[in-house]
Amino acid sequence: ATGNPVLTVENLEAWYGESHILHGINFNVKSGEVVTLLGRNGAGKTTTLKSIMGIIGKRTGSIKFEGNEIIKTSSDKIAKQGIAFCPEERGIFSSLDVRENLMLPPTIRPGGLSLDQIFELFPNLKERLNSQGTKLSGGEQQMLAIGRILRTGARFLMLDEPTEGLAPVIIQQIGHTIARLKSEGFTILLVEQNFRFAATVADRYYIVEHGKIIDGFANSELSANMDKLHTYLGV
Ligand code: ATP
């Protein structure tokens, strides 16, 4: 069951230097949902996640998280409010081993997962505990990147293309993990190019195009929206 909006984004605009990238993004994510942002390359999905995390130079509009306005809040304070971001490039430190990578982010809120809880979720990581970041497969790196943000205690997770470049069997595993996290009450905002994967985990979708949200629908409305997906994403 899903509840009230935990995240409400209104008229979000964002810039990289002089480049105006987001032109008024509007959407929300309710407690316990998995919401997926879909859209072509360069549409502004990653920029939307970065704006919510506060790691983009200039942003205007409104981002309310659990009722608090965070559009002017610094990224460290946003993290402390319980938002975590797992970037597309994963950010694994190649010279550190699995344990060291996991220990990097501080636990910023109560409720962060212990290493044992993370290994229960990702048994592969336990076997690779002393392996350096460079020795990990793409799938292991992605699991490490997700495991790492779970240590922080954040309950709102933003995952940027977690399936990119991964083999089907690993993608399936990531899907099970997302379903498991949802069942444990996490709220997840996902960016995906892989629509077939998104369809296995998402409750709702928004389509991003040229820095705007141009449409949104629930998973139950998927079949009625297939032509749109075809038009906008080539699905
Ligand atoms: P992708 O899947 O390619 O990441 P996306 O929908 O996530 O697509 P964004 O990464 O948000 O798209 O990029 C939106 C636009 O912003 C693109 O035109 C991109 O070229 C531009 N952009 C992204 N990062 C920067 C940056 N650091 N400086 C300037 N422009 C950028």
Side-chain angles (χ1 to χ4, degrees), residues 16 19 21-22 39-48 50 88 160-161 191 193 208:
Y16 289 112
S19 313
I21 306 292
L22 302 185
R40 292 194 178 94
N41 279 330
K45 306 178 298 297
T46 298
T47 306
T48 301
K50 287 184 177 172
E88 191 175 352
D160 196 352
E161 297 199 32
V191 160
Q193 299 272 1
V208 185

Side-chain angles (χ1 to χ4, degrees), residues 7-18:
L7 182 84
T8 305
V9 176
E10 285 176 328
N11 302 318
L12 173 65
E13 303 197 28
W15 290 257
Y16 289 112
E18 298 285 293

Side-chain angles (χ1 to χ4, degrees), residues 69-120:
E69 180 59 64
I70 58 169
I71 190 78
K72 291 188 169 12
T73 306
S74 61
S75 56
D76 58 320
K77 294 210 174 81
I78 291 172
K80 283 188 185 128
Q81 292 196 27
I83 300 182
F85 174 46
C86 190
E88 191 175 352
E89 59 277 11
R90 295 169 191 150
I92 302 305
F93 287 83
S94 53
S95 60
L96 302 182
D97 67 20
V98 165
R99 178 197 294 278
E100 289 164 337
N101 267 288
L102 282 173
M103 296 309 285
L104 267 182
T107 300
I108 50 177
R109 291 163 64 90
L113 268 57
S114 66
L115 291 191
D116 282 343
Q117 287 171 314
I118 291 170
F119 295 145
E120 203 247 310

Side-chain angles (χ1 to χ4, degrees), residues 57-186:
K58 184 178 171 197
R59 57 206 201 280
T60 64
S62 169
I63 302 172
K64 285 211 180 81
F65 180 67
E66 294 180 338
N68 300 313
E69 180 59 64
I70 58 169
I71 190 78
K72 291 188 169 12
T73 306
S74 61
S75 56
D76 58 320
K77 294 210 174 81
I78 291 172
K80 283 188 185 128
Q81 292 196 27
I83 300 182
F85 174 46
C86 190
E88 191 175 352
E89 59 277 11
R90 295 169 191 150
I92 302 305
F93 287 83
S94 53
S95 60
L96 302 182
D97 67 20
V98 165
R99 178 197 294 278
E100 289 164 337
N101 267 288
L102 282 173
M103 296 309 285
L104 267 182
T107 300
I108 50 177
R109 291 163 64 90
L113 268 57
S114 66
L115 291 191
D116 282 343
Q117 287 171 314
I118 291 170
F119 295 145
E120 203 247 310
L121 208 53
F122 301 114
N124 309 37
L125 288 185
K126 188 168 189 176
E127 289 163 29
R128 307 289 265 137
L129 194 58
N130 300 310
S131 303
Q132 284 198 325
T134 38
K135 302 268 163 56
L136 303 178
S137 68
E140 288 166 340
Q141 288 189 12
Q142 186 60 54
M143 291 172 196
L144 179 53
I146 296 175
R148 190 166 62 181
I149 62 171
L150 294 172
R151 270 201 67 245
T152 63
R155 304 290 296 174
F156 186 90
L157 312 178
M158 299 194 292
L159 310 180
D160 196 352
E161 297 199 32
T163 67
E164 200 193 9
L166 303 183
V169 57
I170 309 292
I171 292 179
Q172 209 175 35
Q173 240 179 305
I174 303 275
H176 292 315
T177 304
I178 290 175
R180 165 95 183 266
L181 292 171
K182 176 182 156 77
S183 76
E184 292 182 7
F186 286 89

